[in-house]
Amino acid sequence: MSDRFLGNPAGPAKPGEPARPPYLSGHYAPVAVESTVWGLTVHGSLPPELTGRYLRNGHNPPPGVVPSHWFKGSGMVHGLRLCEGRAEWYRNRWVRTPALHDAEAAANGKGAAAGGGGPAAGDGGADAGDGGADAGDGGADDLTASVAGTHVIEHAGRILALQEANLPYELTPELATVGAYDFGGKLNRAMTAHPKEDPVTGELHFFSYSPLPPHLVHYVASRDGHIVREETIEGAGPSLMHDFGLTERHVVWLDLPVVFDPAERSGIPYRWSDGYRPRIGIMPRTGPPRVTWCEVEPGALLHIANAYEDPAGRVVIEGPRYDRTAWETSWKWWTGAPGHAAVPLVGSLHHRWVLDPASGSAREEPLDDLVTEFPTINDSVLGRPSRYAYAVAFPGSGLEEYALVKYDAATGARQMAPTGPGRMPGEAVFVPAAGGGDGYAGEAPGDRGGSEDDGYLLTIVSDLRRDASELIVLDARDITAAPIATVELPHRVPAGIHGSWIPDLPDAATGP
């Protein structure tokens, strides 16, 4: 085991100290050490097909730094290498960006953001994490000044840590930082943290959004990592567009009523606006970038579970929807504002929109009353009709503890798997089982039946009572059953944001 200590972890505030914001406390308290640990203890049996890396990103400011917003904390990637039933290693690394350097300098009294006597506040890097507010070029003035703390993906053999106001950062399979990645000089704007890889073509669709024109630019990278399409989307507005949808034939844009507002002083300059007309745009994937905008009820959507065409050609979207009260209440937690709730999410409810690109009409309906976020699916049906979605359920609406939930769109049923008092699961990443099908209509079933939910859910659970964490592996067909396997981690892992399962990579990356 090797550790790199960088100070003391964030425990309870000492008498006389100001209370720490909620995103630096409890499940979200950052760790102050980078570790590498070999030969992890496994309880149960890891399926042998789980051979690869589970990586998860999240915000973990260095000691002494207090960002002004949850989303502005420096990114740290936690990873486990699994191989044929063994848990070979765990390691965690900060993504080493100029924003991390600035934050560390400020905490040590060497940077412009350092304050006298107290923790460095509100920077997370001079220009990072602001949703592109500092420039009309799709991101901050320095596109490399990323906190890189939202997501981590693999495409064309490259591992990329993402945060939507800046360029992606490439990592090695051992989580060392390679540097900012611009697709061989072809990307000169910020990149979303939620790109979509088409499971059939292997293309990577992504976008850049900005509060200043052009507000929205769409990109497509080929299977081998080359940008082959770049187009400005006319008619989009200065809204906070964290995610988008991809169907077999369309791209789905979210132009909803959380919009750029320089009066917002948290470092993420967006606020709810009752005067902004909420719309969802439907754009064909081929041909000119012509968008049909469908007006919808006022609501915010950070994450789309899936989007697809139904047999009538309408586009169906599902995900956790916020009304104004839910958004503004959650925002208080994200900024540590007085009167914030005890949990980071309030009132985000599973919802469905059905949009008709022929008529421009829309209808929508609530699907559940649980407070949920971080939806996932079996990515082999991304953009195609899907039956199952998974999410993290937060305390509220009668639920007293955190849980994982599975939704069945065909029957309306749900399964719920509470993780226990003092325990919080993260986003559940789906991994297909060996021999299983992908759920497409007409496909021959695999050895285990071939259903869409034939696979495993991987999630890291934070346990405050034991001051510990573990990776749990669930059978996605029945998440209420006991875990198939549990991997003990060497220390508590803070609750994070998004992650990916990356099967063993080829020796060399492709693309520019």
PDB file of all heavy atoms in Angstrom, residues 486-505:
ATOM      1  N   THR A 486     -19.211  -8.220  -2.558  1.00  0.00           N
ATOM      2  CA  THR A 486     -18.863  -6.962  -1.910  1.00  0.00           C
ATOM      3  C   THR A 486     -17.345  -6.895  -1.823  1.00  0.00           C
ATOM      4  O   THR A 486     -16.695  -7.856  -1.409  1.00  0.00           O
ATOM      5  CB  THR A 486     -19.464  -6.881  -0.498  1.00  0.00           C
ATOM      6  OG1 THR A 486     -20.892  -6.967  -0.588  1.00  0.00           O
ATOM      7  CG2 THR A 486     -19.078  -5.584   0.181  1.00  0.00           C
ATOM      8  N   VAL A 487     -16.793  -5.756  -2.226  1.00  0.00           N
ATOM      9  CA  VAL A 487     -15.344  -5.553  -2.170  1.00  0.00           C
ATOM     10  C   VAL A 487     -15.055  -4.490  -1.122  1.00  0.00           C
ATOM     11  O   VAL A 487     -15.552  -3.358  -1.214  1.00  0.00           O
ATOM     12  CB  VAL A 487     -14.788  -5.115  -3.540  1.00  0.00           C
ATOM     13  CG1 VAL A 487     -13.268  -4.927  -3.454  1.00  0.00           C
ATOM     14  CG2 VAL A 487     -15.143  -6.120  -4.627  1.00  0.00           C
ATOM     15  N   GLU A 488     -14.260  -4.843  -0.121  1.00  0.00           N
ATOM     16  CA  GLU A 488     -13.891  -3.880   0.914  1.00  0.00           C
ATOM     17  C   GLU A 488     -12.872  -2.889   0.349  1.00  0.00           C
ATOM     18  O   GLU A 488     -11.871  -3.289  -0.256  1.00  0.00           O
ATOM     19  CB  GLU A 488     -13.285  -4.592   2.117  1.00  0.00           C
ATOM     20  CG  GLU A 488     -14.254  -5.475   2.875  1.00  0.00           C
ATOM     21  CD  GLU A 488     -13.617  -6.077   4.119  1.00  0.00           C
ATOM     22  OE1 GLU A 488     -12.520  -5.608   4.516  1.00  0.00           O
ATOM     23  OE2 GLU A 488     -14.214  -7.010   4.684  1.00  0.00           O
ATOM     24  N   LEU A 489     -13.129  -1.598   0.573  1.00  0.00           N
ATOM     25  CA  LEU A 489     -12.192  -0.566   0.138  1.00  0.00           C
ATOM     26  C   LEU A 489     -11.341  -0.127   1.324  1.00  0.00           C
ATOM     27  O   LEU A 489     -11.758  -0.242   2.478  1.00  0.00           O
ATOM     28  CB  LEU A 489     -12.962   0.611  -0.465  1.00  0.00           C
ATOM     29  CG  LEU A 489     -13.857   0.243  -1.665  1.00  0.00           C
ATOM     30  CD1 LEU A 489     -14.515   1.480  -2.248  1.00  0.00           C
ATOM     31  CD2 LEU A 489     -13.062  -0.496  -2.732  1.00  0.00           C
ATOM     32  N   PRO A 490     -10.138   0.388   1.065  1.00  0.00           N
ATOM     33  CA  PRO A 490      -9.208   0.645   2.171  1.00  0.00           C
ATOM     34  C   PRO A 490      -9.561   1.834   3.041  1.00  0.00           C
ATOM     35  O   PRO A 490      -9.024   1.973   4.141  1.00  0.00           O
ATOM     36  CB  PRO A 490      -7.873   0.872   1.454  1.00  0.00           C
ATOM     37  CG  PRO A 490      -8.251   1.319   0.081  1.00  0.00           C
ATOM     38  CD  PRO A 490      -9.508   0.576  -0.242  1.00  0.00           C
ATOM     39  N   HIS A 491     -10.443   2.692   2.566  1.00  0.00           N
ATOM     40  CA  HIS A 491     -10.875   3.834   3.377  1.00  0.00           C
ATOM     41  C   HIS A 491     -12.217   4.298   2.839  1.00  0.00           C
ATOM     42  O   HIS A 491     -12.686   3.841   1.779  1.00  0.00           O
ATOM     43  CB  HIS A 491      -9.840   4.973   3.341  1.00  0.00           C
ATOM     44  CG  HIS A 491      -9.474   5.440   1.954  1.00  0.00           C
ATOM     45  ND1 HIS A 491     -10.324   6.177   1.156  1.00  0.00           N
ATOM     46  CD2 HIS A 491      -8.340   5.260   1.224  1.00  0.00           C
ATOM     47  CE1 HIS A 491      -9.737   6.444   0.009  1.00  0.00           C
ATOM     48  NE2 HIS A 491      -8.529   5.881   0.019  1.00  0.00           N
ATOM     49  N   ARG A 492     -12.839   5.209   3.564  1.00  0.00           N
ATOM     50  CA  ARG A 492     -14.119   5.736   3.105  1.00  0.00           C
ATOM     51  C   ARG A 492     -13.929   6.496   1.799  1.00  0.00           C
ATOM     52  O   ARG A 492     -12.975   7.266   1.644  1.00  0.00           O
ATOM     53  CB  ARG A 492     -14.710   6.679   4.170  1.00  0.00           C
ATOM     54  CG  ARG A 492     -16.127   7.175   3.840  1.00  0.00           C
ATOM     55  CD  ARG A 492     -16.589   8.200   4.857  1.00  0.00           C
ATOM     56  NE  ARG A 492     -15.659   9.331   4.917  1.00  0.00           N
ATOM     57  CZ  ARG A 492     -15.674  10.335   4.039  1.00  0.00           C
ATOM     58  NH1 ARG A 492     -16.551  10.343   3.047  1.00  0.00           N
ATOM     59  NH2 ARG A 492     -14.807  11.315   4.169  1.00  0.00           N
ATOM     60  N   VAL A 493     -14.819   6.272   0.870  1.00  0.00           N
ATOM     61  CA  VAL A 493     -14.832   6.990  -0.405  1.00  0.00           C
ATOM     62  C   VAL A 493     -15.990   7.975  -0.368  1.00  0.00           C
ATOM     63  O   VAL A 493     -17.140   7.575  -0.160  1.00  0.00           O
ATOM     64  CB  VAL A 493     -14.983   6.012  -1.588  1.00  0.00           C
ATOM     65  CG1 VAL A 493     -15.164   6.769  -2.896  1.00  0.00           C
ATOM     66  CG2 VAL A 493     -13.779   5.083  -1.664  1.00  0.00           C
ATOM     67  N   PRO A 494     -15.732   9.263  -0.539  1.00  0.00           N
ATOM     68  CA  PRO A 494     -16.833  10.232  -0.492  1.00  0.00           C
ATOM     69  C   PRO A 494     -17.882   9.940  -1.560  1.00  0.00           C
ATOM     70  O   PRO A 494     -17.575   9.423  -2.635  1.00  0.00           O
ATOM     71  CB  PRO A 494     -16.144  11.570  -0.767  1.00  0.00           C
ATOM     72  CG  PRO A 494     -14.702  11.337  -0.461  1.00  0.00           C
ATOM     73  CD  PRO A 494     -14.430   9.905  -0.780  1.00  0.00           C
ATOM     74  N   ALA A 495     -19.121  10.264  -1.243  1.00  0.00           N
ATOM     75  CA  ALA A 495     -20.167  10.178  -2.263  1.00  0.00           C
ATOM     76  C   ALA A 495     -19.755  11.033  -3.456  1.00  0.00           C
ATOM     77  O   ALA A 495     -19.207  12.126  -3.303  1.00  0.00           O
ATOM     78  CB  ALA A 495     -21.498  10.659  -1.683  1.00  0.00           C
ATOM     79  N   GLY A 496     -19.999  10.528  -4.648  1.00  0.00           N
ATOM     80  CA  GLY A 496     -19.497  11.203  -5.838  1.00  0.00           C
ATOM     81  C   GLY A 496     -20.588  11.495  -6.855  1.00  0.00           C
ATOM     82  O   GLY A 496     -21.759  11.641  -6.522  1.00  0.00           O
ATOM     83  N   ILE A 497     -20.194  11.539  -8.106  1.00  0.00           N
ATOM     84  CA  ILE A 497     -21.111  11.961  -9.169  1.00  0.00           C
ATOM     85  C   ILE A 497     -21.319  10.801 -10.149  1.00  0.00           C
ATOM     86  O   ILE A 497     -22.163   9.957  -9.912  1.00  0.00           O
ATOM     87  CB  ILE A 497     -20.588  13.223  -9.887  1.00  0.00           C
ATOM     88  CG1 ILE A 497     -20.204  14.309  -8.862  1.00  0.00           C
ATOM     89  CG2 ILE A 497     -21.667  13.776 -10.816  1.00  0.00           C
ATOM     90  CD1 ILE A 497     -21.347  14.854  -8.042  1.00  0.00           C
ATOM     91  N   HIS A 498     -20.523  10.694 -11.202  1.00  0.00           N
ATOM     92  CA  HIS A 498     -20.760   9.704 -12.248  1.00  0.00           C
ATOM     93  C   HIS A 498     -19.532   8.818 -12.457  1.00  0.00           C
ATOM     94  O   HIS A 498     -18.398   9.198 -12.153  1.00  0.00           O
ATOM     95  CB  HIS A 498     -21.101  10.381 -13.575  1.00  0.00           C
ATOM     96  CG  HIS A 498     -22.296  11.274 -13.512  1.00  0.00           C
ATOM     97  ND1 HIS A 498     -23.578  10.794 -13.347  1.00  0.00           N
ATOM     98  CD2 HIS A 498     -22.398  12.627 -13.577  1.00  0.00           C
ATOM     99  CE1 HIS A 498     -24.423  11.811 -13.324  1.00  0.00           C
ATOM    100  NE2 HIS A 498     -23.737  12.928 -13.464  1.00  0.00           N
ATOM    101  N   GLY A 499     -19.781   7.645 -13.027  1.00  0.00           N
ATOM    102  CA  GLY A 499     -18.693   6.719 -13.296  1.00  0.00           C
ATOM    103  C   GLY A 499     -18.998   5.801 -14.455  1.00  0.00           C
ATOM    104  O   GLY A 499     -20.076   5.865 -15.073  1.00  0.00           O
ATOM    105  N   SER A 500     -18.047   4.914 -14.750  1.00  0.00           N
ATOM    106  CA  SER A 500     -18.157   4.008 -15.896  1.00  0.00           C
ATOM    107  C   SER A 500     -17.490   2.682 -15.583  1.00  0.00           C
ATOM    108  O   SER A 500     -16.521   2.620 -14.806  1.00  0.00           O
ATOM    109  CB  SER A 500     -17.467   4.610 -17.140  1.00  0.00           C
ATOM    110  OG  SER A 500     -18.072   5.814 -17.551  1.00  0.00           O
ATOM    111  N   TRP A 501     -17.995   1.642 -16.228  1.00  0.00           N
ATOM    112  CA  TRP A 501     -17.305   0.360 -16.287  1.00  0.00           C
ATOM    113  C   TRP A 501     -16.533   0.331 -17.597  1.00  0.00           C
ATOM    114  O   TRP A 501     -17.101   0.542 -18.684  1.00  0.00           O
ATOM    115  CB  TRP A 501     -18.274  -0.808 -16.223  1.00  0.00           C
ATOM    116  CG  TRP A 501     -17.615  -2.127 -16.519  1.00  0.00           C
ATOM    117  CD1 TRP A 501     -17.738  -2.869 -17.656  1.00  0.00           C
ATOM    118  CD2 TRP A 501     -16.701  -2.831 -15.673  1.00  0.00           C
ATOM    119  NE1 TRP A 501     -16.969  -4.001 -17.574  1.00  0.00           N
ATOM    120  CE2 TRP A 501     -16.316  -4.013 -16.365  1.00  0.00           C
ATOM    121  CE3 TRP A 501     -16.171  -2.589 -14.405  1.00  0.00           C
ATOM    122  CZ2 TRP A 501     -15.434  -4.933 -15.821  1.00  0.00           C
ATOM    123  CZ3 TRP A 501     -15.285  -3.520 -13.867  1.00  0.00           C
ATOM    124  CH2 TRP A 501     -14.932  -4.680 -14.565  1.00  0.00           C
ATOM    125  N   ILE A 502     -15.232   0.071 -17.530  1.00  0.00           N
ATOM    126  CA  ILE A 502     -14.378   0.071 -18.710  1.00  0.00           C
ATOM    127  C   ILE A 502     -13.747  -1.310 -18.838  1.00  0.00           C
ATOM    128  O   ILE A 502     -12.821  -1.648 -18.079  1.00  0.00           O
ATOM    129  CB  ILE A 502     -13.297   1.165 -18.617  1.00  0.00           C
ATOM    130  CG1 ILE A 502     -13.960   2.532 -18.429  1.00  0.00           C
ATOM    131  CG2 ILE A 502     -12.418   1.149 -19.858  1.00  0.00           C
ATOM    132  CD1 ILE A 502     -12.982   3.663 -18.221  1.00  0.00           C
ATOM    133  N   PRO A 503     -14.241  -2.150 -19.737  1.00  0.00           N
ATOM    134  CA  PRO A 503     -13.590  -3.444 -19.955  1.00  0.00           C
ATOM    135  C   PRO A 503     -12.137  -3.228 -20.337  1.00  0.00           C
ATOM    136  O   PRO A 503     -11.742  -2.146 -20.786  1.00  0.00           O
ATOM    137  CB  PRO A 503     -14.391  -4.059 -21.111  1.00  0.00           C
ATOM    138  CG  PRO A 503     -15.681  -3.311 -21.140  1.00  0.00           C
ATOM    139  CD  PRO A 503     -15.379  -1.932 -20.648  1.00  0.00           C
ATOM    140  N   ASP A 504     -11.338  -4.265 -20.158  1.00  0.00           N
ATOM    141  CA  ASP A 504      -9.910  -4.125 -20.439  1.00  0.00           C
ATOM    142  C   ASP A 504      -9.686  -3.428 -21.767  1.00  0.00           C
ATOM    143  O   ASP A 504     -10.266  -3.795 -22.805  1.00  0.00           O
ATOM    144  CB  ASP A 504      -9.242  -5.494 -20.446  1.00  0.00           C
ATOM    145  CG  ASP A 504      -8.887  -5.939 -19.048  1.00  0.00           C
ATOM    146  OD1 ASP A 504      -9.113  -5.168 -18.096  1.00  0.00           O
ATOM    147  OD2 ASP A 504      -8.390  -7.081 -18.890  1.00  0.00           O
ATOM    148  N   LEU A 505      -8.832  -2.405 -21.735  1.00  0.00           N
ATOM    149  CA  LEU A 505      -8.575  -1.586 -22.907  1.00  0.00           C
ATOM    150  C   LEU A 505      -7.464  -2.190 -23.759  1.00  0.00           C
ATOM    151  O   LEU A 505      -6.603  -2.903 -23.250  1.00  0.00           O
ATOM    152  CB  LEU A 505      -8.139  -0.179 -22.475  1.00  0.00           C
ATOM    153  CG  LEU A 505      -9.171   0.634 -21.703  1.00  0.00           C
ATOM    154  CD1 LEU A 505      -8.518   1.925 -21.201  1.00  0.00           C
ATOM    155  CD2 LEU A 505     -10.358   0.958 -22.581  1.00  0.00           C
TER     156      LEU A 505
END
